[in-house]
Coordinates of all heavy atoms in Angstrom, one line a residue:
W244 N 0.8 -1.2 0.0 CA 0.0 0.0 0.0 C 0.8 1.3 0.0 O 0.6 2.2 -0.7 CB -0.9 0.0 1.2 CG -1.8 1.2 1.3 CD1 -1.9 2.1 2.3 CD2 -2.9 1.5 0.4 NE1 -2.9 3.0 2.1 CE2 -3.5 2.7 0.9 CE3 -3.4 1.0 -0.8 CZ2 -4.6 3.3 0.3 CZ3 -4.4 1.6 -1.4 CH2 -5.0 2.8 -0.9
L245 N 1.9 1.3 0.8 CA 2.8 2.4 0.8 C 3.6 2.6 -0.5 O 4.1 3.7 -0.7 CB 3.8 2.2 2.0 CG 3.2 2.2 3.4 CD1 4.1 1.6 4.4 CD2 2.8 3.6 3.8
C246 N 3.6 1.6 -1.3 CA 4.3 1.7 -2.6 C 3.4 1.8 -3.8 O 3.8 1.8 -4.9 CB 5.2 0.4 -2.8 SG 6.6 0.4 -1.6
N247 N 2.1 1.9 -3.4 CA 1.1 2.1 -4.5 C 0.9 3.5 -4.8 O 0.5 4.3 -3.9 CB -0.3 1.4 -4.0 CG -1.4 1.4 -5.0 OD1 -1.4 2.2 -5.9 ND2 -2.3 0.5 -4.9
P248 N 1.1 3.9 -6.0 CA 0.9 5.4 -6.3 C -0.5 5.9 -6.0 O -0.6 7.1 -5.8 CB 1.3 5.5 -7.8 CG 1.1 4.1 -8.3 CD 1.5 3.2 -7.2
E249 N -1.5 5.1 -6.0 CA -2.8 5.5 -5.8 C -3.1 5.8 -4.3 O -4.0 6.5 -3.9 CB -3.8 4.5 -6.2 CG -3.8 4.2 -7.7 CD -4.9 3.2 -8.2 OE1 -5.7 2.7 -7.3 OE2 -4.9 2.9 -9.4
S250 N -2.2 5.3 -3.4 CA -2.4 5.5 -2.0 C -2.1 6.9 -1.5 O -2.6 7.4 -0.6 CB -1.6 4.5 -1.2 OG -0.2 4.8 -1.2
R251 N -1.1 7.5 -2.2 CA -0.6 8.8 -1.9 C 0.0 8.8 -0.4 O -0.1 9.9 0.2 CB -1.7 9.9 -2.0 CG -2.3 10.0 -3.4 CD -1.3 10.5 -4.4 NE -1.0 11.9 -4.1 CZ -0.1 12.6 -4.8 NH1 0.6 12.0 -5.8 NH2 0.2 13.8 -4.5
V252 N 0.5 7.7 0.0 CA 1.1 7.7 1.3 C 2.4 6.9 1.2 O 2.6 6.1 0.3 CB 0.2 7.0 2.4 CG1 -0.9 7.9 2.7 CG2 -0.2 5.6 2.0
S253 N 3.3 7.1 2.1 CA 4.6 6.4 2.2 C 5.3 6.6 3.5 O 4.8 7.3 4.3 CB 5.5 6.8 1.0 OG 5.9 8.2 1.1
C254 N 6.4 6.0 3.7 CA 7.2 6.3 4.9 C 8.7 5.9 4.5 O 8.9 5.5 3.3 CB 6.8 5.4 6.0 SG 7.0 3.6 5.8
H255 N 9.6 6.2 5.3 CA 11.0 5.8 5.0 C 11.3 4.4 5.3 O 12.0 3.7 4.5 CB 11.9 6.8 5.8 CG 11.8 8.2 5.4 ND1 11.0 9.1 6.0 CD2 12.4 8.9 4.4 CE1 11.1 10.3 5.4 NE2 11.9 10.2 4.4
Y256 N 10.8 3.9 6.4 CA 11.0 2.5 6.8 C 9.8 1.8 7.4 O 8.9 2.5 7.9 CB 12.1 2.5 8.0 CG 13.4 3.1 7.6 CD1 13.7 4.4 7.9 CD2 14.4 2.3 6.9 CE1 14.9 5.0 7.6 CE2 15.6 2.9 6.6 CZ 15.9 4.2 6.9 OH 17.1 4.8 6.6
L257 N 9.7 0.5 7.3 CA 8.7 -0.3 7.9 C 9.4 -1.4 8.7 O 10.3 -2.1 8.1 CB 7.7 -0.9 6.9 CG 6.6 -1.8 7.5 CD1 5.3 -1.5 6.8 CD2 7.0 -3.2 7.5
V258 N 9.0 -1.6 9.9 CA 9.6 -2.7 10.7 C 8.5 -3.7 10.9 O 7.4 -3.5 11.5 CB 10.1 -2.2 12.1 CG1 10.7 -3.4 12.9 CG2 11.1 -1.1 12.0
D259 N 8.7 -4.9 10.4 CA 7.7 -6.0 10.4 C 7.7 -6.7 11.8 O 8.6 -6.5 12.6 CB 7.9 -7.0 9.3 CG 6.6 -7.6 8.8 OD1 5.6 -7.6 9.5 OD2 6.6 -8.0 7.6
V260 N 6.7 -7.6 12.0 CA 6.6 -8.2 13.4 C 7.8 -9.1 13.7 O 8.0 -9.4 14.8 CB 5.3 -9.0 13.4 CG1 4.0 -8.1 13.5 CG2 5.1 -10.0 12.3
D261 N 8.5 -9.6 12.6 CA 9.6 -10.5 12.8 C 10.9 -9.6 13.0 O 12.0 -10.2 13.1 CB 9.8 -11.5 11.7 CG 9.9 -10.9 10.3 OD1 9.9 -9.6 10.2 OD2 10.0 -11.6 9.4
G262 N 10.8 -8.3 13.0 CA 12.0 -7.5 13.1 C 12.6 -7.1 11.8 O 13.6 -6.3 11.9
K263 N 12.2 -7.6 10.7 CA 12.8 -7.3 9.4 C 12.5 -5.8 9.1 O 11.3 -5.4 9.2 CB 12.3 -8.2 8.3 CG 12.6 -9.7 8.5 CD 14.1 -9.9 8.4 CE 14.4 -11.4 8.5 NZ 15.8 -11.8 8.5
I264 N 13.5 -5.1 8.6 CA 13.3 -3.7 8.2 C 13.3 -3.6 6.7 O 14.2 -4.1 6.0 CB 14.5 -2.9 8.8 CG1 14.5 -3.0 10.4 CG2 14.4 -1.4 8.4 CD1 15.7 -2.4 11.0
V265 N 12.3 -2.9 6.2 CA 12.2 -2.6 4.8 C 12.3 -1.1 4.6 O 11.6 -0.3 5.3 CB 10.8 -3.0 4.3 CG1 10.7 -2.8 2.8 CG2 10.5 -4.5 4.6
Q266 N 13.2 -0.7 3.7 CA 13.3 0.7 3.4 C 12.4 1.0 2.2 O 12.5 0.3 1.2 CB 14.7 1.2 3.1 CG 14.8 2.7 2.9 CD 16.2 3.3 3.0 OE1 17.2 2.5 3.1 NE2 16.3 4.6 2.9
I267 N 11.6 2.1 2.2 CA 10.7 2.4 1.2 C 11.0 3.7 0.5 O 10.7 3.9 -0.7 CB 9.3 2.4 1.9 CG1 8.9 1.0 2.4 CG2 8.2 2.9 0.9 CD1 7.7 0.9 3.2
V268 N 11.5 4.7 1.3 CA 11.9 6.0 0.7 C 13.3 6.4 1.2 O 13.6 6.1 2.4 CB 10.9 7.1 1.1 CG1 11.4 8.5 0.6 CG2 9.5 6.8 0.5
D269 N 14.1 6.9 0.3 CA 15.4 7.4 0.7 C 15.2 8.5 1.7 O 14.4 9.4 1.6 CB 16.0 8.0 -0.6 CG 17.5 8.4 -0.5 OD1 17.9 9.0 0.5 OD2 18.3 8.1 -1.4
E270 N 16.1 8.5 2.7 CA 16.0 9.5 3.8 C 16.2 10.9 3.3 O 15.8 11.9 4.0 CB 17.1 9.3 4.9 CG 16.7 8.1 5.8 CD 17.8 7.9 7.0 OE1 18.5 8.9 7.2 OE2 17.8 6.9 7.6
E271 N 16.8 11.1 2.2 CA 17.1 12.4 1.6 C 15.8 13.0 1.2 O 15.6 14.3 1.2 CB 18.0 12.3 0.4 CG 18.3 13.6 -0.3 CD 19.2 13.4 -1.5 OE1 19.8 12.3 -1.7 OE2 19.5 14.4 -2.2
Y272 N 14.7 12.3 1.0 CA 13.5 12.7 0.4 C 12.4 12.9 1.4 O 12.4 12.3 2.5 CB 13.0 11.9 -0.8 CG 14.0 11.8 -1.9 CD1 14.7 10.7 -2.3 CD2 14.3 13.0 -2.7 CE1 15.6 10.7 -3.3 CE2 15.2 13.0 -3.7 CZ 15.8 11.8 -4.0 OH 16.7 11.8 -5.0
R273 N 11.3 13.6 1.0 CA 10.2 13.8 1.8 C 9.1 12.7 1.6 O 8.5 12.6 0.5 CB 9.6 15.2 1.4 CG 8.3 15.6 2.2 CD 7.8 16.9 1.6 NE 6.8 17.6 2.4 CZ 5.5 17.3 2.2 NH1 5.1 16.5 1.2 NH2 4.6 18.0 2.9
A274 N 9.0 11.8 2.6 CA 7.9 10.8 2.5 C 6.6 11.3 2.9 O 6.6 12.4 3.7 CB 8.4 9.6 3.3

């Protein structure tokens, strides 16, 4: 959802329940 252009939302990171970290937006940019 955070990577869907129709959602118009995002974040820099997501931490899943198993502790895995996904980066979604470069810190340089405005999420």
Side-chain angles (χ1 to χ4, degrees):
W244 181 243
L245 293 162
C246 293
N247 184 337
E249 296 182 3
S250 74
R251 303 291 295 173
V252 293
S253 62
C254 63
H255 295 93
Y256 300 97
L257 181 142
V258 182
D259 213 333
V260 291
D261 60 0
K263 298 294 185 182
I264 299 172
V265 185
Q266 184 166 6
I267 295 171
V268 172
D269 189 315
E270 285 185 16
E271 181 179 352
Y272 298 114
R273 181 183 188 271

